[in-house]
Amino acid sequence: MDVFNPKILDASIRDVSSCLTNNQKADLLLYAMRSLHPEGTIIENAVQSCLLISTLSPENTAKARILRARARLAVGSHFGAQDDLQAALVAEPDNPEAKALLHQRSVTVEKLLSPLPAKKERFSVEIWREIALYLPRHDLKALLFIPHTISHVASQILFRKLDLHFGGIDAEEGKSDIWMQHAGDVGFADDVNARHAQRSADILTRIIVDPKFASAVRTLRIYAPIRDKDGALAFQIGMLTNALPNLINLRNVYISAGAEGIIPVLRVLQTCANPNSSSPDGPTDLQFEFKHLAHFSYCSSGGSTNQVHSFLAQNRDFLRTVYIDNPHWVFPTNSVSIRNLTHFHFTGHVPLNNQLFADILANGRQLESLSLCCSLDGATSQQFRATHHAYGPVLPFLRNFSFSVMMVHRRVSDRDLFPAVAEFLRGRHQLRSLALTAHDESVQRAVGFDAAVWGVLPSLINLRNLKIAYPPDLSPGLASWLIPRTVLALSLTLDHVPSSSRDPVPFLEQLRPGIPPTLRYIGLPDLLPLRNVSAIVAHGFPMVRVVRVGNSYFAIIRGGDGLVKELEPCPRRTVAYHCSEWLEWRGCEDACAWDPSEFPS
């Protein structure tokens, strides 16, 4: 049997190469390297050893450079390869292989540097815009990071609504909030407020210097402190008044500030379509001329209604949305054409013999949303009964209804009020949102809010959002089964826990069997200590995504197995300014209440 020892061949190659000159050895080495894969350090080392030969012929120099250029191109070292090719042409100017590789390299670079050919999009920008208009804001924010036409479209839609914060959340607004109990958060809150103030200043600067950006803004919401404690508000308002004339397409404005801060802005806003204002410290001077207003919102805590009456009267024929919130005011029915309204909210006072409810029911044929929160000085149930008998079914387009009684005169007893309201609501299949509340147990007795009022709920077969007071004579085991199966957001106002005020768990466990399994949101008053918020989920509402206790919101974080891992609190600033967007992100958009800072489309 023949046995071959490869070392004999290696020794023979070594013996033969020892008899060759350096140029001949380089020629042999370059010939052998042509059969190797062009990648790796072997070729780099071999070519470098050849180039160190001082007597290397130009032909072999060119061959060595070309071999290393090919190896470098294979690993992506384009600049090194170009140097080698140019050096090969210096050694042998007519080398065709070096010329061909260098030309190929030039063509490749030109292709890389040339602009990409414009691709024909499957959809036009207009179609993408129509699609994006149906997306919630958190989805639009996610689209900003996509390298596509829709990213630009999303940015345009997002900047249609701008928020300007000229200060932090006033302490009196949230003194019962859980976040205010931690002294260590004060510094963090100051930093957040300073960051938002700087952001607002940057936005105003952009509006002033960039007309194209300014022309995209449709809605502007301004939040300013009630009192200018450090003198910064005057400067910010001045900067705002300089920016407002550039907002040529501005249609909606919401202002939450003290009276001193609102007046300068209103002077500039006389060309704006729909101003909303909120002035907690008192009434605002409304002696301005605004024509063709479609939406008007006004919130305050005192003062006279005379200016508001005249302001509403000058836009009587154009108003479609009216939101007035002042617990001491009487609604000016003579200044508003109720038959033109589609959205109406009133928080205020209903004096004796006032016909507000009758006027609304008889004339509000176009109303889609109706919200009434009143203190009563007389019996009003007959207005619901008489209107129903005289006109039959009224408010045919009603989708959202809220009726709340804050207080009744001590001599008033209208025990037919809520039964009459329940009869007015019975069988309304188009109703999507309902709120029925009475402030406390004494008010509930005076206006007839008892377990029978809950009896109207099963007839509302398409209801999605329900806020309702829990009367003391209603059994928890029955109450949950009366809630329509379509309800996704539920809020209960309880002045007591039927079982034990210290241990609400038995009450929650009795509610649990009949709760709709698709419920996503539950809202309760400050009934439980904060450390027991998890008991609401564990014992009463294990299916929900968001829990509200008082003014605090908690998102339910679940693991892969569906079990609850933790309750994540919603930041206080988000609750104050972006609660609707946060709820929508959690899939609980049905729980969003009508916010005066939002404008109906």
Side-chain angles (χ1 to χ4, degrees), residues 330-348:
V330 178
F331 185 75
T333 53
N334 295 330
S335 302
V336 177
S337 177
I338 296 178
R339 68 176 68 252
N340 292 334
L341 298 182
T342 59
H343 297 74
F344 178 51
H345 172 97
F346 175 63
T347 297

Side-chain angles (χ1 to χ4, degrees), residues 179-190:
W179 290 275
M180 294 299 292
Q181 299 174 6
H182 303 285
D185 292 343
V186 175
F188 174 75
D190 292 340

Side-chain angles (χ1 to χ4, degrees), residues 194-215:
R195 178 167 57 85
H196 281 273
Q198 181 62 49
R199 168 188 170 274
S200 299
D202 293 340
I203 290 175
L204 288 175
T205 304
R206 177 76 181 276
I207 291 173
I208 294 172
V209 302
D210 189 349
K212 186 176 181 180
F213 174 80
S215 65

Side-chain angles (χ1 to χ4, degrees), residues 500-520:
S500 170
S501 59
R502 293 186 178 181
D503 184 15
V505 171
F507 170 69
L508 295 174
E509 290 181 341
Q510 292 179 61
L511 276 177
R512 178 174 176 174
I515 295 297
T518 56
L519 191 70
R520 299 178 181 178

Side-chain angles (χ1 to χ4, degrees), residues 1-10:
M1 181 176 65
D2 297 332
V3 178
F4 174 72
N5 187 357
K7 292 185 179 297
I8 298 176
L9 187 58
D10 295 340

Side-chain angles (χ1 to χ4, degrees), residues 44-189:
E44 284 276 351
N45 295 334
V47 169
Q48 186 62 30
S49 65
C50 292
L51 296 176
L52 291 175
I53 302 174
S54 58
T55 59
L56 190 65
S57 65
E59 182 183 359
N60 285 338
T61 300
K63 289 181 180 179
R65 292 283 188 178
I66 292 171
L67 275 172
R68 190 165 67 177
R70 289 184 178 278
R72 288 178 173 178
L73 285 173
V75 298
S77 182
H78 299 284
F79 293 106
Q82 184 169 343
D83 293 339
D84 279 332
L85 292 174
Q86 291 175 347
L89 288 175
V90 171
E92 193 176 13
D94 296 330
N95 189 294
E97 188 176 5
K99 287 182 178 181
L101 288 174
L102 195 59
H103 175 72
Q104 181 182 354
R105 161 69 180 160
S106 300
V107 172
T108 303
V109 171
E110 288 178 2
K111 289 182 178 179
L112 291 174
L113 297 180
S114 62
L116 293 175
K119 290 184 177 180
K120 187 176 180 180
E121 296 286 349
R122 293 185 60 190
F123 297 138
S124 65
V125 175
E126 290 75 15
I127 294 178
W128 281 120
R129 183 176 291 109
E130 290 298 319
I131 294 173
L133 286 173
Y134 288 91
L135 298 177
R137 287 183 65 86
H138 69 271
D139 285 341
L140 291 174
K141 292 177 181 178
L143 290 177
L144 294 177
F145 302 97
I146 298 178
H148 189 271
T149 305
I150 198 171
S151 174
H152 180 64
V153 172
S155 67
Q156 289 180 329
I157 296 176
L158 280 173
F159 286 112
R160 286 185 176 185
K161 181 169 74 172
L162 287 182
D163 289 356
L164 299 178
H165 298 268
F166 293 150
I169 306 173
D170 293 321
E172 59 267 25
E173 293 181 9
K175 55 189 177 184
S176 62
D177 199 295
I178 60 169
W179 290 275
M180 294 299 292
Q181 299 174 6
H182 303 285
D185 292 343
V186 175
F188 174 75

Side-chain angles (χ1 to χ4, degrees), residues 191-493:
D191 292 341
V192 172
N193 294 336
R195 178 167 57 85
H196 281 273
Q198 181 62 49
R199 168 188 170 274
S200 299
D202 293 340
I203 290 175
L204 288 175
T205 304
R206 177 76 181 276
I207 291 173
I208 294 172
V209 302
D210 189 349
K212 186 176 181 180
F213 174 80
S215 65
V217 180
R218 301 292 188 275
T219 299
L220 182 65
R221 303 194 301 180
I222 304 165
Y223 300 91
I226 297 175
R227 294 171 183 83
D228 189 9
K229 298 178 181 179
D230 55 2
L233 181 59
F235 171 77
Q236 293 166 327
I237 294 296
M239 193 173 181
L240 175 63
T241 55
N242 290 330
L244 284 175
N246 291 353
L247 301 176
I248 57 177
N249 291 318
L250 188 63
R251 294 294 176 265
N252 307 305
V253 178
Y254 172 80
I255 311 170
S256 176
E260 296 180 358
I262 291 179
I263 293 174
V265 180
L266 289 179
R267 288 197 182 102
V268 184
L269 284 178
Q270 293 191 54
T271 57
C272 172
N274 306 303
N276 283 9
S277 64
S278 173
S279 179
D281 63 339
T284 302
D285 184 4
L286 293 177
Q287 294 180 350
F288 302 98
E289 185 178 356
F290 288 88
K291 297 181 179 180
H292 309 298
L293 288 182
H295 310 292
F296 176 74
S297 173
Y298 191 88
C299 307
S300 69
S301 57
S304 172
T305 61
N306 294 333
Q307 292 182 1
V308 175
H309 287 198
S310 59
F311 190 82
L312 291 172
Q314 69 182 2
N315 293 279
R316 174 186 176 91
D317 296 331
F318 306 102
L319 283 172
R320 298 294 179 267
T321 299
V322 173
Y323 187 111
I324 294 181
D325 189 336
N326 188 312
H328 307 292
W329 285 0
V330 178
F331 185 75
T333 53
N334 295 330
S335 302
V336 177
S337 177
I338 296 178
R339 68 176 68 252
N340 292 334
L341 298 182
T342 59
H343 297 74
F344 178 51
H345 172 97
F346 175 63
T347 297
H349 179 62
V350 179
L352 184 65
N353 298 325
N354 184 279
Q355 296 297 309
L356 173 64
F357 300 156
D359 289 342
I360 294 173
L361 297 177
N363 301 313
R365 185 169 181 81
Q366 299 188 61
L367 281 173
E368 299 177 12
S369 295
L370 174 60
S371 177
L372 300 168
C373 183
C374 308
S375 58
L376 306 176
D377 278 354
T380 55
S381 59
Q382 188 59 27
Q383 298 183 38
F384 283 92
R385 297 286 188 188
T387 306
H388 183 72
H389 291 314
Y391 299 95
V394 293
L395 310 187
F397 303 110
L398 192 64
R399 301 291 183 272
N400 307 287
F401 180 75
S402 174
F403 187 77
S404 177
V405 179
M406 300 180 294
M407 183 175 60
V408 295
H409 193 277
R410 57 187 178 85
R411 296 181 180 179
V412 173
S413 178
D414 189 8
R415 297 187 60 82
D416 189 43
L417 177 57
F418 270 94
V421 173
E423 191 62 30
F424 158 74
L425 295 171
R426 190 175 305 278
R428 289 184 176 268
H429 297 171
Q430 76 279 13
L431 202 64
R432 298 293 182 269
S433 173
L434 173 64
L436 296 174
T437 60
H439 183 64
D440 54 33
E441 193 170 345
S442 62
V443 174
Q444 290 180 13
R445 288 195 300 269
V447 296
F449 193 102
D450 53 21
V453 176
W454 280 59
V456 73
L457 297 182
S459 69
L460 309 176
I461 58 175
N462 292 313
L463 197 65
R464 299 174 67 88
N465 180 16
L466 174 63
K467 179 180 181 180
I468 191 167
Y470 191 93
D473 61 337
L474 180 61
S475 166
L478 173 63
S480 58
W481 288 106
L482 294 175
I483 299 171
R485 303 297 92 183
T486 55
V487 168
L488 300 177
L490 173 65
S491 299
L492 298 177
T493 62

